[in-house]
Amino acid sequence: MNFKETLKAEPVRRIDLSFYVEVRKGTTVADAVEKMQASHRKCALVLDGDQLEGIFTAHDIRDLARESDALQQSIDSVMTRNPETISGDASLFEAIQVLNDKPYRYLPVLNKDGHVIGTLTHFAVLKHISDHFPEDIYNLPPEPNRFAQSRDGA
Amino acid sequence: MTEVTAAPQLTRKDFVSDQEVRWCPGCGDYAILAQMQRIMPELGIPKEKIVFVSGIGCSSRFPYYMDTYGIHSIHGRAPTLATGLKVANPDLAVWVITGDGDGLSIGGNHMLHVLRRNVDLNIVLFNNRIYGLTKGQYSPTSKPGHVTKSSPMGSVEQSFNPISVAIGAEATFVARSADRNTKHLADILTKAAAHKGTSFVEIYQNCNIYNDGEWLHVTEADVKDDNTLILEDGEPMIFGKDRDRGIRLNGLYPEVVQLGNGTTEKDLLVHDEQAEGPELAYLLSRLGPPEFPVPLGVFRSIERPTYEAQLADQGRRAREERGDGDLATLFHATDTWIVPEDSGWIPPEQRRDVSTEVSPSTPDYTPDIHHEVEQSELQALMEKRIATLDLPEPACVKAETTLAEAIELMQDRNLGCLLVTDDSDRIEGIFAQGDIFSQVARREMDMDTTTVGSLMTSDPTTLSRSAPIGHVLHMMAGHGFRHIPIVNGDGKPVALASFKSILGFLGDLLK
Ligand code: SF4
């Protein structure tokens, strides 16, 4: 099976979708940001019960940074509503095309019942692809030119 | 009063030495080095307080590549040297880097005793199941029947299971990871560093020259989830790509069960790394193919006083009770004697000269390397130069730029990152969206006085256009850097690689 076929067979839900936090509808921006900071995540999904309401990312913070009362607002007023999502059963191949065609950095992933099971990121996909080529990607010296020119001893 | 100054925040780069790395291209040792350099800054220990001690073997070259103190010592004796070092300098963070040969055969004895003594060392054993540096003889972890240079008809020896050995030797922290499971490896190394007492970490390491593919079942992306059990303290033991299988105890013996049809998580064995006795840890250490998945993670982590603390305490007590000692008195306290002249000692000039004796010549042989790799288009790409990628030009600002100006620029041009250059246009920092984020979170919102220079990451990791594309992914997937500036020979940024641009490129290629 060549690599493209592998990516077509592999569903999105199998990769690391944990790069996000969940916050409730009505949370203040300050609380959401604090939660994101604490877990080193740059994406928050805003939920109402089980239902995905919106998405809020570091990108939005950049745009809010100059507003003086930005932090006290409810997240509902600054989040992006009804964000584009992707199914956990979609193939990674599809996922890569979606990530490349759309401007989004984070795509909420839903299961069959429409519940959030994670968030798809460029990093997770790159990491997954890299895992298939460990020798060419992970087993490299700290600097590209720090390679022995010949085998030595071994 | 001593002045307390905050230690400078170190980065991965601070731990990269200027030495040329001499492992074979593609060796798993590189991946371990990368993760070690990645976690070092996070440990918050000043460089001059860190020592890497090694013995002999491929893995033992490790200290050269870390920009810390290091000792490339005697075959198998790194634990001994490290013990002395730690006892005399308890404030040092001491790492021992060893391999299956160095640590378990030549230095097997030393390993057992350092483990039971519980000296506060971090021992990392690279297990590639072969002697690499001496060109491919079987090692104490080679599988029975393994055909090698020194076992042409297959090894007739039962092999060691390093985790079982460590548990049997009373180690207080025992864990396992694999070279290619980068995130897991970083996590395990961090936990080992945090443990007080001897930490023993076995890393499955691929020797792509003499024993290629030994650990594929636990590292290959397609199969690893089915073949490994990730141990998590307090969690039921579930594994499998679909997380639908588990480990259950049937009397004294473990068995694999399918979840569902009445079997639930509640029936499964729950991991307890802090269990006082070694029974569970030992039981887990015996799991492996063909019947069981290979456990990766922390097998055992218990607290016990360290060797050096107890020794120092005895010294202190002795001094309190008997006062300071005197070396001359100690020396003359027991029998001393004079060695007579006819004791059999031969003066140097009368010794036989062995240097001129002819030694039988060893036949020269070249290792026959069978290195079959599935060459895919993408793999070939990894070796191509970054220059062949069509990467966007970076937006550059000066360090004096205010936060307000920077944000405006990023909004106008929809950028996730700015590069900061000095007066000669050389790169001196990187400023990303994430830096604004932490600023806002700290509620420091003075956008017109705060400068980019005060928030940027200084001296970022860069690559040149002639570096292989694999290196960009190495930095991104292996180290988690979101942006890699590409610079020319003068250090001037010419392009910017980001998660998005690289995935875009790979996506086009796969279309
Ligand atoms: S002989 Fe094996 S272990 Fe040694 S450097 Fe080469 S690949 Fe690595």
Side-chain angles (χ1 to χ4, degrees), chain A residues 154, chain B residues 23-24 27 29 58 128 132 205 207-210:
Chain B
W23 291 311
C24 308
C27 173
D29 292 359
C58 292
N128 55 17
Q205 175 244 326
C207 168
N208 55 322
I209 301 298
Y210 296 110

Side-chain angles (χ1 to χ4, degrees), chain A residues 126-141, chain B residues 27-35 179-183 224 470 473-474 476-479:
Chain A
L126 283 178
K127 174 88 185 136
H128 183 84
I129 295 179
S130 300
D131 284 352
H132 282 86
F133 304 95
E135 232 164 78
D136 302 275
I137 294 177
Y138 297 139
N139 298 2
L140 289 179
Chain B
C27 173
D29 292 359
Y30 287 106
I32 305 173
L33 176 65
Q35 292 314 311
D179 52 4
R180 298 174 178 189
N181 300 4
T182 53
K183 195 160 167 256
K224 67 178 180 189
L473 278 149
H474 175 74
M476 290 183 171
H479 289 280

